[in-house]
Structures are given as C-alpha cells and as structure tokens.
Amino acid sequence: MGRRPPGLALLGKAALTLGLVLLYYCFSIGITFYNKWLMKSFHFPLFMTLLHLLVIFLLSALTRALMHCCTKRSRVVLTWADYLRRVAPTALSTALDIGLSNWSFLYITVSLYTMTKSSAILFILLFSLIFKLEELRMALVLVVLLIAGGLFMFTFESTQFNMEGFALVLGASFLGGIRWTLTQMLMQKSELGLQNPIDTMFHLQPLMFLGLFPLFAVFEGLPLSTSEKLFRFHEAGLLLSVVGKLSLGGFLAFGLGFSEFLLVSRTSSLTLSIAGIFKEICTLLLATHLLGDHLNLLNWVGFAVCLSGISLHVTLKAFSSKGEKESKLHKGTSSSPDLELLLRRGEAEEEEEEVVTELQH
C-alpha cells in the first residue's frame, strides 16, 4: 500500500486536529452555557451534578462493554483496597470541584466564572510543588504573579461581582488543583491500569456520587423533596422535560471528557492546553454578546494578563516535556487494541502509531 503525499498527509492531519478542537469546543463551551441556562429555572445544582455523574457512569460502562466486545480484552477492575485508598481522594476532590462550579452559576456570570476557574492553574502548580511533580523556579513564580494579578484586575470594580458565587468558584478552583494533581498521579500509576480515561471515568463516578451526596442532602434534600419540579409534580410531561434537560447535561459532560481524550490521544496534551486558552477567549466573547455580561477596560486587561500567565506556563511545559518525549520515542511505543480501535481505524497498518493518554486541563 503506497503512502500518501507528504503535503496531503499534513493537510489531513491539520484538518483532523481542527475537527477535534472544534468538537472539544462544542462540548466544553456548550456545557458551560447549558448549565448556566438551566440554573435559571432549576435551582438545584448539586442534584443536577449527581444526575450527570450517573449518566457518565452508565455511558462509561457502555463504552467499556463495547471495547471488550470489539477487542476481546478484559477491562481493568480495581480491587477494593486500591479503589478506596487510591481512587477515593481523586473522586472526592473531583466531585466537590464540579459540584461547587455548578453551584456558583446560581450567583455569578459566565465571564466571572470563566475567569476565576482559569486561576485553577495556580492551585495545580501549588499542589504539583507539594507532591514534587514540579520544581520551584522563578518562571513559575512569574506565572503565579501574572495569573493572580490578572484575576485581581478582572474582579476589581466589576459591576456584576457576587462574593458568594466568587467564593464558590474559587473554592472549586482550589479543589480543581487537588483534583488534577491527583488525577495525574492516578493515571501515571501503570500498575493500576487507568491510563485510559474511559476506565478512569468509570471508576471515579460511583465514589464521586457518594462523596457529593451528603452535601446535596444537607443543602438541597428538603427543598427538592417539596419542589413541584420533581417529587411533587402535577404533570408527567413537565417531569419528563426536567429529567430530559438534566440528562442532556450528563451527555455533554461525558462528551467533554471523551473529546479531551480524543484530542490528547491524536495530538498532544500541549494542543489541549493551547486550545483551552483560546476556548476561554471564545467563552468570554460569547458571554458578552449572548448573555449581556458587562466588562470594563480594566477587566479585559486583567483577562489578558491572566492569559499571558497561562500561556507562559504552557510554553514552559512544552519545553520541559520535549526531552521526555524524545527519550520515549527512542525506546519505542506500543498501542493497546482498544485505543487502536477508537483512534487508528482506517489508517495503513505500516504507519507507526503513537498514543499519548495523559489527560490534563
């Protein structure tokens, strides 16, 4: 079988990357605006998050079953000891991160949410230093100062600032730092066999549900039980409409995780990081035009300063990982059949396959 011309192959790769980035944008931006829209009429964000977790678990289980049928390979199932000792901390921090993020939509605008969530990289750096995943350098100090300064300018004299919502999303960003640091450590433990994010999502969801349920029971249990939107409904059509809207958010959440997986697997984690920077810009522009969020000049300057800090961090990560990638290429890589089925279908057999399954945000 002859190889394609280099120019055509390069064009095809660029088109594929663009398509995967757009798919990631659709799910990521879509779920942000969808959750904000839904919170205007359904004021139970923790219950919504619990239902999302249930949908993601079911879709992950279905995907694992399809992989097993197509590849004839058994999927990883952790022991209870590993499950509770190693997965539980990641699951709890992830559940609280997502729950508080959705909760904040009751109080703040999409633009303030987007900007504050961008500060999660500060906490990711902090916990990476604590767990010795990163070394303290002056460049990292500069990254922290740029992002923190940008966040201060963005929130300073903001006309749509809400302290309660800001505290919720800032707490979610703090938990997000713990979440992604623990997730990185979890997926890098080869003995656990959770390098495939589908397997990771499958194992995380049950513990995430159990971890978030007490918070739901305390703050939303009684109000939801007396609400006419669910348990005291008068029309079956209204109930089905609410459940359908909530379930759609679960599909979007699963699609977001899976699109991130596809983008990282077919390109690199650097591509996902760069795409994430431009996603923040798109989200902010859409929020000002579609939702009427008001931003003054200082807010935009703060946003630019924060993005410069994130861009610097992405650049530093790119240079630091270049040597590691080259050493791995010298050793050679192998792809698992399930990844080959998902990501390499239809390509020539003699084409070398390289699948990078590290998932970062």
Side-chain angles (χ1 to χ4, degrees):
M1 183 183 295
R3 289 187 176 274
R4 293 174 293 180
L8 186 60
L10 184 62
L11 183 62
K13 185 176 181 180
L16 176 62
T17 301
L18 178 61
L20 292 176
V21 169
L22 292 177
L23 181 66
Y24 163 65
Y25 279 8
C26 288
F27 283 114
S28 182
I29 298 176
I31 194 172
T32 298
F33 283 88
Y34 186 81
N35 286 344
K36 177 62 177 179
W37 169 78
L38 191 58
M39 286 297 97
K40 293 180 179 179
S41 58
F42 188 82
H43 300 156
F44 303 100
L46 298 180
F47 177 79
M48 178 188 74
T49 305
L50 290 176
L51 190 58
H52 287 181
L53 298 178
L54 180 60
V55 172
I56 294 173
F57 175 75
L58 294 176
L59 292 176
S60 300
L62 177 60
T63 304
R64 279 165 52 96
L66 291 175
M67 288 180 178
H68 175 69
C69 292
C70 294
T71 64
K72 306 303 180 183
R73 295 179 67 248
S74 59
R75 308 305 307 173
V76 60
V77 178
L78 298 182
T79 63
W80 279 107
D82 286 335
Y83 191 51
L84 295 177
R85 186 176 70 254
R86 300 189 178 185
V87 177
T90 306
L92 181 60
S93 59
T94 303
L96 293 176
D97 174 18
I98 298 174
L100 294 183
S101 296
N102 289 334
W103 198 350
S104 70
F105 278 129
L106 289 176
Y107 308 102
I108 63 174
T109 62
V110 169
S111 57
L112 181 57
Y113 167 83
T114 301
M115 183 63 189
T116 310
K117 282 292 285 185
S118 298
S119 68
I121 193 172
L122 295 176
F123 302 108
I124 293 175
L125 288 175
L126 172 64
F127 290 108
S128 295
L129 292 172
I130 293 175
F131 290 106
K132 300 186 183 304
L133 299 176
E134 293 273 3
E135 294 182 0
L136 182 61
R137 295 168 292 170
M138 286 303 301
L140 291 182
V141 176
L142 179 59
V143 168
V144 170
L145 292 176
L146 286 173
I147 297 176
L151 180 62
F152 174 77
M153 286 189 288
F154 188 87
T155 56
F156 184 71
E157 293 185 351
S158 176
T159 58
Q160 295 174 301
F161 182 80
N162 181 283
M163 179 54 72
E164 187 174 0
F166 178 72
L168 284 171
V169 73
L170 192 62
S173 298
F174 173 81
L175 291 165
I178 303 176
R179 166 194 179 182
W180 290 113
T181 304
L182 293 178
T183 299
Q184 179 182 349
M185 297 173 63
L186 185 67
M187 296 183 70
Q188 287 178 349
K189 293 182 182 297
S190 57
E191 69 272 14
L192 294 180
L194 294 181
Q195 288 79 15
N196 188 323
I198 297 297
D199 293 325
T200 305
M201 286 193 289
F202 174 81
H203 283 86
L204 283 177
Q205 306 313 306
L207 287 178
M208 288 173 63
F209 188 96
L210 294 177
L212 191 61
F213 189 85
L215 196 64
F216 155 75
V218 172
F219 289 97
E220 295 182 0
L222 183 59
L224 184 64
S225 64
T226 58
S227 171
E228 296 182 356
K229 292 185 178 296
L230 282 178
F231 296 106
R232 296 186 61 191
F233 68 93
H234 298 292
E235 298 181 8
L238 179 61
L239 175 64
L240 293 176
S241 175
V242 172
V243 174
K245 292 176 182 177
L246 294 173
S247 300
L248 179 58
F251 279 92
L252 290 174
F254 177 81
L256 173 59
F258 196 68
S259 64
E260 290 174 339
F261 168 44
L262 289 176
L263 182 58
V264 171
S265 300
R266 292 308 297 265
T267 57
S268 67
S269 59
L270 177 61
T271 303
L272 178 63
S273 300
I274 295 174
I277 295 174
F278 288 99
K279 184 205 71 174
E280 309 291 6
I281 298 175
C282 294
T283 302
L284 215 58
L285 292 175
L286 288 173
T288 56
H289 286 83
L290 298 180
L291 301 180
D293 290 4
H294 302 294
L295 299 177
N296 56 39
L297 179 60
L298 183 62
N299 298 149
W300 282 110
V301 172
F303 180 67
V305 171
C306 185
L307 283 186
S308 66
I310 297 174
S311 302
L312 176 60
H313 176 65
V314 170
T315 304
L316 293 174
K317 292 291 289 184
F319 280 107
S320 64
S321 63
K322 185 177 181 180
E324 297 177 6
K325 184 177 180 182
E326 289 177 351
S327 63
K328 288 181 181 180
L329 288 176
H330 285 301
K331 295 179 180 178
T333 58
S334 60
S335 60
S336 60
D338 58 310
L339 290 180
E340 182 177 341
L341 174 70
L342 284 171
L343 306 175
R344 297 289 180 180
R345 184 172 52 193
E347 292 189 358
E349 292 182 358
E350 65 268 21
E351 181 177 353
E352 181 180 0
E353 299 178 353
E354 177 187 0
V355 178
V356 182
T357 57
E358 179 186 3
L359 182 63
Q360 293 183 345
H361 196 30

